[in-house]
């Protein structure tokens, strides 16, 4: 009995991760009741992010600038490169403030099951960054899943001829665990104990 | 390390009921990665609701038209009026499709503790609607809380001189329960067994 406009808003919110139809309805009602303090700021923020949204042409991060804030930050250590599967992993590591270097987002993981091959991931651009020089260490921060580890092994082979230190996160990660869901303590430990790829 | 625009969006989402900082971050990332299929529809829907947003001058519902879709619907039984505390209660009852009449939103409940007095609620406008005639039954659908029931008793006194049937929801409602959180089965039972106010 709600209007088509309200239904469309409820559906758009219900499709966000972590929300469902019920919480979306509550959110819509909240927005409508608090037009100035909830609706207006959300609308403004969405408009601004939508306008400025960019995928970083260096690392694959999503941000409101290109290059992204991390790639453009001169205080980050450009000799240290951390390779992750997804942007969410980059954000999780960045939030922890534990990694002072830069990132490279693969955009997924190798998967025979899902038919994801090396050419479907940002691997060539990773090799190009390493080949360009100036990088001392590449940290492979794949998820501790079978596919994540397969991807790490593949990258290790592709990178072994370059004069870099190749490391991976210590396996303090829970088996099957996704980086993005870990607490900072676990992440910190895994980073601290990172070890050379065998 | 995310940009101010992204931080503002995360904060606006994190303030919605049912979301927190963590799920807000995941939602923002999802929106940014799915610009066409998630960000654009949400932005459009928000813009439309924000433009059309109106509080119904008859019943107090929030909708994208005034009068609201319920008050303007000729198929709703105008002789049957259901009084609720909040718009969320109206939406919950409306979703159940169990109540064929119209609504009146008080905008809260009487509360000595919070200093909410009769003049702070939409009670005069309720009396005016009843006094105008054409209403056979008023259903008091307050929450089954102490304050809800105090409010119902107060309204019963204010309405007793009018030639209407005054009913309230059956107390199958769990004590302390909020209408908005009940499943449809419980709501259906409470509506079916509604009884005259003693
Ligand atoms: Zn970047
Ligand atoms: Zn209305």
């Amino acid at each position: 009995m709600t209007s088509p406009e309200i239904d469309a808003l409820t559906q758009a919110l219900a499709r966000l991760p972590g929300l469902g139809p019920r919480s979306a309805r509550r959110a819509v009602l909240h927005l409508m009741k608090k037009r100035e303090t909830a609706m207006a700021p959300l609308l403004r923020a969405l408009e601004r992010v939508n306008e400025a949204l960019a995928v970083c042409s260096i690392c694959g991060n999503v941000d409101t600038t290109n290059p992204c804030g991390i790639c453009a930050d001169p205080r980050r250590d450009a000799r240290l490169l951390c390779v992750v599967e997804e942007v969410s992993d980059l954000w999780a590591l960045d939030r922890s403030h534990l990694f002072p270097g830069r990132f490279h987002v693969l955009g997924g993981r190798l998967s025979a099951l899902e038919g994801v091959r090396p050419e479907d991931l940002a691997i060539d651009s990773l090799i190009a960054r390493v080949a360009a020089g100036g990088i001392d260490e590449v940290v492979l921060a794949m998820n501790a899943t079978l596919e994540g580890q397969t991807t790490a092994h593949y990258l290790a082979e592709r990178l072994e001829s370059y004069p870099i230190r190749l490391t991976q996160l210590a396996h303090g990660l829970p088996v099957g665990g996704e980086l993005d869901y870990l607490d900072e303590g676990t992440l910190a430990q895994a980073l601290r104990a990172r070890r050379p790829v065998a």
Side-chain angles (χ1 to χ4, degrees), chain A:
Chain A
M1 211 54 81
T2 41
S3 74
E5 292 90 345
I6 295 176
D7 291 346
L9 179 55
T10 308
Q11 281 160 29
L13 282 171
R15 272 187 237 108
L16 294 181
L19 277 161
R22 186 184 194 84
S23 43
R25 279 194 306 261
R26 298 186 69 82
V28 168
L29 193 52
H30 178 81
L31 289 168
M32 294 182 73
K33 288 177 75 176
K34 312 271 180 188
R35 189 185 199 167
E36 296 310 316
T37 57
M39 172 86 85
L42 177 59
L43 185 52
R44 243 188 340 259
L46 255 185
E47 280 167 347
R48 286 185 186 159
V49 170
N50 183 55
E51 264 167 38
L53 181 62
V55 175
C56 178
S57 51
I58 298 174
C59 75
N61 188 16
V62 287
D63 203 342
T64 51
T65 55
N66 179 17
C68 74
I70 292 172
C71 286
D73 185 350
R75 291 164 306 180
R76 310 283 302 211
D77 188 347
R79 291 164 306 172
L80 206 51
L81 186 67
C82 181
V83 183
V84 293
E85 295 179 19
E86 301 284 359
V87 177
S88 53
D89 302 325
L90 185 163
W91 284 26
L93 280 162
D94 184 49
R95 268 198 312 280
S96 74
H97 298 296
L98 294 164
F99 186 73
R102 296 188 176 165
F103 292 94
H104 191 86
V105 179
L106 294 175
R109 66 219 55 80
L110 295 177
S111 168
L113 212 65
E114 294 168 34
V116 181
R117 298 153 306 171
E119 56 267 39
D120 299 319
L121 303 177
I123 292 178
D124 285 347
S125 56
L126 169 64
I127 305 294
R129 286 180 80 177
V130 172
I135 294 173
D136 293 341
E137 178 180 352
V138 172
V139 184
L140 300 176
M142 271 71 253
N143 287 316
T145 58
L146 182 60
E147 293 177 340
Q149 295 309 303
T150 303
T151 308
H153 284 123
Y154 176 83
L155 292 178
E157 274 177 27
R158 291 282 303 268
L159 290 167
E160 68 180 348
S161 61
Y162 295 93
I164 49 164
R165 214 160 82 88
L166 195 60
T167 58
Q168 62 187 24
L169 294 185
H171 279 187
L173 311 193
V175 173
E178 310 256 348
L179 273 193
D180 192 25
Y181 282 92
L182 297 182
D183 61 290
E184 290 192 7
T186 310
L187 270 177
Q189 202 174 23
L191 256 176
R192 239 183 280 116
R194 67 185 186 261
R195 54 186 177 73
V197 174

